[in-house]
């Protein structure tokens, strides 16, 4: 009867060691293994998906599209025209100062602030009651609370508001540090072109900046897009900034939020930061498109935009369009992934289980594709994708939900030792690896630390609970590659001393080229020949494709999507090993012979329990995909190694079998040695 003893075949994502994760404690899935323990959100875009994509506009610009064509693509059904209210100023509610009862205003260097025909270097206003304010001033450059002498300019009971401050500089030509400044309670100052006004509203005190449209845009664009985009592709990237200028101008002009202000300065309207980040590229884009807006039937339209819309826009007010230009290497949210602990969803919505959570199309949605989804919670409960997005901090409401079930439970214990990359997937119980392995193992030990070296990891390895069945090691980024062999051995000795049965070592990404991480990975791979309980899983290979560009922030550390993808991939590796109960695949390397148990294995009699046992075995030994020409030798482990080979392979990539009859001695094992790295299949 022919039985397979062991298979050493490389898998796409693993190159593993020769010792199985013990299968004790793993059996038919017990009750509860079908429980949903996490929900995976896979989505697109960052924002609402409507209108212009900032990343898409950038991609189109560097591909050669003009700013006019970019706008035509995103705002179908509208035309480019002149702002019919070009001389009308913008009024902006400065949200950070909402409710301030004391507001300080100070002049730029060498300039003056004027209120009620009185000019000083600094003023501060105090709200005394409904629409009543006192005003104080000083010729020092100061904010409220500073150690300076202030002059009261109003009666003690105050005067009626609003209180409006101007300055003696040209709003457009003044330097960014020469205009009016608003004091924060911290003492920092934010400067704004135009005038500043403190006024009472039904919702409380407000500070309003009145500023010409083109100057307002100078404080918007650097916060909405990267000014450096203008330098890309020999200056072609400027067309993305020009398109953004028109979109921002049209959006602002179409707003009329309150009686006292047309718009605000946060992402609830569009981000506006005063003069702090004004940039020559964005100033130029505004000037190049001066007064241009998008019109429909003669009216300025509300040109919504998002950071990213993913592969296709949402539609709605403007026709949906395919947008492959949104897929830029620097865009982390063209497609994104998040892990959400099922318990968080249960707690948020008062559920008993997350087993019924899914997404489906909302038939009433005006949007298309993934942007039209709603979230089904089970039991007839449905919430909007926006509600779910806001509850769990997702980049957009354009997502699908995929439930992840426990699938297996084990009496094994798990340990994890990592560095800052490990911190990213183990720092919280409600996302990442901990959520994905909830209830899979009887206990889990996690210890990750920023900047940890492999040598420091050996100290942690010495504290892993004794007898732990499975340890994951994620180390190697903070070491000189030449030191890795000794440091790997230090970790493995510490874990072996703790009687850890199987070690899964995650190799490192080689994307960052300033360190020779290929040498680090070579050292990790080579250690398999010294440590038979070592398995190497290939994160570098799994993440080495263009789609994974958005997983990495700097070639090593991961974005939010990268952390989710890393945790999901690593979960697959360890659960596969835990559930398998078999010897996982790995290449066999030259060096110490592999000792392969035969007696009592794979249905063979055990001499200790079954009388005479086995005198010998007929083996079929196959070399699979060797790296170079060489040979394999097989013999009983308690006997001298013979001089003859069992299998000869004559070229790299060969698949070469041979039959051999091998006696067994008291060890019950056969030893296998190879001269070159190769995969091996042994049948009896």
């Amino acid at each position: 009867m022919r039985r397979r003893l062991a298979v050493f075949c490389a898998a796409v994502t693993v190159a593993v060691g020769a010792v199985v994760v013990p299968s004790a404690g793993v059996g038919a899935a017990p009750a509860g293994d079908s429980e949903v323990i996490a929900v995976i959100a896979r989505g697109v875009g960052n924002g609402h998906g409507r209108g212009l994509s900032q990343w898409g506009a950038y991609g189109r610009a560097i591909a050669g599209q003009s700013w006019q064509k970019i706008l035509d693509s995103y705002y179908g059904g509208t035309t480019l025209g002149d702002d019919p209210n070009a001389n009308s100023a913008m009024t902006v509610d400065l949200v950070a100062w909402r409710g301030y009862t004391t507001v300080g205003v100070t002049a730029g260097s060498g300039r003056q602030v004027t209120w009620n025909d009185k000019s000083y270097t600094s003023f501060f206003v105090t709200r005394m009651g409904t629409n009543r304010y006192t005003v104080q001033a000083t010729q020092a450059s100061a904010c409220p609370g500073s150690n300076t002498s202030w002059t009261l300019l109003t009666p003690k009971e105050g005067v009626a508001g609003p209180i409006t401050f101007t300055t003696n500089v040209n709003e457009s030509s003044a330097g960014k540090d020469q205009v009016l400044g608003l004091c924060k309670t911290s003492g920092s100052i934010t400067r704004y072109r135009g005038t500043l006004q403190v006024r009472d509203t039904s919702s409380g005190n407000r500070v309003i900046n009145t500023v010409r449209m083109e100057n307002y845009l100078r404080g918007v664009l650097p916060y909405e897009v990267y000014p450096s985009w203008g330098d890309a592709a020999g200056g072609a990237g400027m067309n993305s900034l020009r398109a953004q200028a028109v979109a921002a101008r049209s959006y602002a002009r179409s707003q009329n939020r309150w009686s006292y202000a047309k718009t605000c300065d946060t992402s609830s309207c569009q981000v506006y930061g005063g003069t702090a980040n004004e940039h020559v590229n964005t100033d130029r884009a505004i000037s190049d498109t001066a007064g241009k807006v998008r019109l429909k039937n003669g009216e300025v339209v509300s040109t919504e935009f998002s950071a990213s819309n993913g592969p296709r826009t949402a539609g709605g007010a403007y026709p949906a369009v395919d947008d492959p230009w949104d897929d830029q290497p620097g865009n982390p949210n063209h497609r994104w992934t998040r892990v959400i602990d099922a318990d968080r969803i249960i707690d948020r919505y008062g559920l008993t289980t997350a087993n019924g959570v899914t997404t489906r199309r909302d038939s009433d949605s005006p949007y298309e594709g993934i942007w039209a989804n709603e979230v089904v919670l089970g039991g007839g409960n449905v919430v909007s994708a926006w509600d779910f997005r806001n509850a769990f901090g997702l980049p957009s409401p354009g997502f699908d939900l995929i439930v992840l079930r426990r699938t297996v439970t084990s009496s094994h214990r798990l340990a994890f030792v990592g560095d800052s990359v490990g911190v990213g997937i183990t720092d919280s119980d409600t996302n990442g690896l901990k959520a994905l392995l909830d209830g899979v193992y009887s206990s889990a030990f996690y210890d990750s630390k920023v900047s940890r070296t492999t040598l420091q990891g050996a100290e942690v390895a010495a504290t892993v609970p004794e007898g732990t069945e499975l340890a994951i090691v994620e180390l190697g980024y903070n070491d000189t590659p030449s030191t890795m062999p000794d440091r790997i051995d230090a970790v493995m000795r510490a874990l072996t001393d703790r009687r850890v049965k199987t070690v899964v070592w995650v190799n490192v990404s080689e994307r960052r080229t300033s360190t020779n991480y290929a040498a680090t990975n070579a050292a990790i791979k080579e250690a398999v020949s010294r440590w038979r309980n070592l398995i190497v899983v290939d994160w570098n290979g799994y993440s080495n494709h263009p789609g994974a560009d958005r997983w990495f922030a700097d070639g090593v550390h991961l974005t939010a999507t990268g952390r989710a993808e890393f945790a999901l991939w690593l979960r697959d590796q360890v659960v596969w090993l835990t559930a398998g109960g078999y010897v996982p695949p790995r290449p066999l390397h030259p060096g110490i012979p592999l000792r392969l148990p035969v007696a009592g294995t794979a249905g063979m009699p055990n001499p200790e329990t079954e009388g005479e046992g086995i005198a010998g075995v007929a083996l079929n030994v196959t070399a699979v995909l060797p790296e170079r020409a060489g040979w394999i030798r097989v013999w009983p482990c308690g006997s001298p190694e013979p001089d003859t080979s069992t299998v000869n392979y004559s070229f790299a990539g060969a698949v070469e079998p041979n039959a051999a009859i091998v006696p067994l001695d008291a060890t019950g094992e056969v030893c296998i040695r190879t001269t070159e790295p190769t995969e091996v299949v042994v049948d009896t």
Side-chain angles (χ1 to χ4, degrees):
M1 188 175 210
R2 183 170 170 276
R3 296 181 183 271
R4 179 149 296 173
L5 293 178
V7 181
F8 304 108
C9 294
V12 172
T13 57
V14 290
V16 295
V19 176
V20 63
V21 178
S23 59
V26 180
D33 274 7
S34 63
E35 179 186 358
V36 171
I37 58 174
V39 173
I40 313 307
R42 294 195 182 275
V44 299
N46 182 14
H48 46 59
R50 305 190 292 271
L52 177 142
S53 159
Q54 291 166 337
W55 276 104
Y58 171 68
R60 290 170 184 270
I62 62 176
Q65 292 188 21
S66 68
W67 59 273
Q68 296 94 334
K69 182 175 181 180
I70 293 170
L71 292 165
D72 288 343
S73 299
Y74 288 115
Y75 300 115
T78 71
T79 58
L80 186 68
D82 294 320
D83 183 357
N85 299 300
N87 294 323
S88 175
M90 285 298 297
T91 48
V92 188
D93 178 3
L94 304 178
V95 172
W97 283 269
R98 283 182 178 176
Y100 269 36
T101 56
T102 299
V103 177
V105 178
T106 186
S109 176
R111 303 310 198 268
Q112 293 276 283
V113 182
T114 300
W115 167 75
N116 201 25
D117 296 327
K118 300 177 179 68
S119 295
Y120 288 83
T121 303
S122 305
F123 285 82
F124 80 84
V125 179
T126 302
R127 185 177 188 270
M128 305 301 292
T130 302
N131 200 33
R132 301 296 297 180
Y133 298 93
T134 59
V135 181
Q136 299 184 58
T138 181
Q139 289 298 352
S141 180
C143 285
S146 62
N147 186 21
T148 190
S149 177
W150 295 87
T151 300
L152 180 65
L153 303 179
T154 62
K156 291 182 178 179
E157 65 272 17
V159 296
I163 307 297
T164 302
F165 297 101
T166 60
T167 185
N168 61 339
V169 298
N170 183 283
E171 177 185 313
S172 300
S173 62
K176 64 170 67 176
D177 295 324
Q178 296 175 333
V179 296
L180 294 176
L182 268 178
C183 298
K184 291 189 174 180
T185 53
S186 64
S188 65
I189 297 172
T190 305
R191 298 196 175 274
Y192 296 91
R193 298 185 184 277
T195 66
L196 293 170
Q197 183 183 88
V198 182
R199 65 178 302 134
D200 205 1
T201 75
S202 59
S203 301
N205 228 35
R206 294 290 184 267
V207 178
I208 309 301
N209 177 208
T210 301
V211 59
R212 295 173 185 171
M213 172 64 82
E214 305 304 295
N215 291 328
Y216 161 74
L217 294 175
R218 294 168 71 181
V220 169
L221 261 66
Y223 289 90
E224 287 289 355
V225 290
Y226 297 105
S228 60
W229 282 356
D231 301 324
M238 279 297 302
N239 281 323
S240 67
L241 305 187
R242 295 180 181 112
Q244 180 65 46
V246 176
R249 185 182 294 112
S250 303
Y251 183 81
R253 184 62 75 204
S254 68
Q255 301 302 294
N256 197 16
R257 299 291 180 110
W258 305 278
S259 60
Y260 54 85
K262 288 178 66 66
T263 191
C264 67
D265 63 345
T266 71
S267 58
S268 296
C269 302
Q270 61 182 349
V271 180
Y272 170 61
T275 65
N277 287 339
E278 288 179 354
H279 191 279
V280 62
N281 281 356
T282 46
D283 282 358
R284 177 184 161 198
I286 294 161
S287 176
D288 289 347
T289 62
K292 295 300 180 183
V293 292
R294 299 300 293 192
L295 300 169
K296 187 172 185 177
N297 300 324
E299 299 291 330
V300 181
V301 296
S302 179
T303 45
E304 295 177 294
F305 51 85
S306 290
S308 169
N309 292 339
R312 185 173 172 82
T313 65
Y318 311 104
V321 294
D322 290 331
D323 199 8
W325 295 273
D326 186 271
D327 188 7
Q328 296 299 311
N331 179 5
N333 293 314
H334 178 71
R335 295 185 184 275
W336 51 263
T337 309
R338 298 292 187 274
V339 173
I340 306 169
D341 188 348
D343 289 338
R344 293 181 65 200
I345 300 173
I346 290 168
D347 292 344
R348 168 75 182 183
Y349 295 111
L351 308 176
T352 57
T353 176
N355 286 19
V357 173
T358 188
T359 40
R360 72 181 183 193
R361 168 153 185 123
D362 177 3
S363 59
D364 295 326
S365 174
Y367 306 117
E368 294 189 14
I370 200 170
W371 297 101
N373 279 350
E374 61 184 1
V375 177
V376 178
L377 301 173
N381 297 315
V382 179
V383 297
S384 72
W386 273 106
D387 183 283
F388 196 90
R389 177 255 191 190
N390 292 336
F392 299 105
L394 304 180
S396 81
F399 57 84
D400 290 312
L401 297 179
I402 304 99
V403 297
L404 187 142
R405 301 179 187 276
R406 185 172 289 119
T407 68
V408 65
T409 55
S410 170
S411 61
H412 296 167
R413 291 159 293 180
L414 175 74
F416 184 100
V417 180
D419 54 25
S420 57
V421 176
V423 169
I425 63 168
T426 63
D427 62 342
S428 171
D429 291 333
T430 59
N431 57 44
L433 193 64
K434 289 183 178 180
L436 296 174
L437 293 178
D438 180 24
V440 173
Y441 297 96
S442 63
S443 65
F445 168 97
Y446 293 95
D447 193 315
S448 295
K449 185 179 180 180
V450 173
S451 300
R452 175 175 283 160
T453 66
T454 302
L455 191 61
Q456 292 166 339
E459 298 173 2
V460 179
T463 69
V464 166
E466 191 170 4
T468 294
E469 285 79 8
L470 177 62
I472 303 170
V473 179
E474 181 280 308
L475 295 169
Y477 288 110
N478 301 305
D479 302 85
T480 303
S482 61
T483 66
M484 282 299 290
D486 289 342
R487 294 184 174 197
I488 293 168
D489 287 348
V491 172
M492 293 303 298
R493 278 194 298 271
L495 292 173
T496 301
D497 288 346
R498 301 299 290 171
R499 296 191 297 110
V500 172
K501 292 183 172 60
T502 302
V503 180
V504 173
W505 200 300
V506 184
N507 72 6
V508 300
S509 167
E510 297 175 14
R511 283 174 171 258
R512 183 187 287 179
T513 57
S514 58
T515 299
N516 185 10
Y517 285 130
T520 297
N521 282 341
I524 296 171
K525 179 180 178 181
E526 193 273 334
V528 173
S529 64
R530 300 191 301 277
W531 299 95
R532 294 303 181 182
N533 60 336
L534 176 61
I535 296 170
V536 180
V537 290
D538 189 11
W539 170 241
N540 177 59
Y542 183 77
S543 62
N544 186 24
H545 59 87
D549 289 346
R550 64 182 58 89
W551 297 359
F552 289 87
D554 58 8
V556 171
H557 300 96
L558 303 172
T559 63
T561 288
R563 293 191 293 272
E565 293 290 352
F566 182 41
L568 285 164
W569 170 82
L570 189 53
R571 194 249 186 206
D572 286 346
Q573 309 310 301
V574 297
V575 169
W576 173 71
L577 292 170
T578 301
Y582 53 84
V583 177
R586 77 161 177 95
L588 181 63
H589 291 268
I592 300 172
L594 171 67
R595 300 176 68 97
L596 184 65
V598 176
T601 302
M604 296 294 175
N606 187 333
E608 295 182 3
T609 60
E610 301 182 54
E612 295 181 358
I614 308 170
V617 287
L619 300 180
N620 195 60
V621 182
T622 307
V624 180
L625 305 179
E627 292 187 8
R628 290 170 291 275
W631 47 259
I632 292 171
R633 180 178 289 156
V634 183
W635 72 98
C637 288
S639 305
E641 181 176 349
D643 295 329
T644 57
S645 62
T646 305
V647 180
N648 297 311
Y649 41 90
S650 56
F651 57 91
V655 178
E656 193 68 51
N658 198 24
I661 296 177
V662 182
L664 287 189
D665 54 27
T667 65
E669 300 173 330
V670 297
C671 279
I672 305 173
R673 181 192 295 280
T674 181
T675 58
E676 302 295 338
T678 183
E679 300 159 22
V680 181
V681 176
V682 179
D683 297 286
T684 181

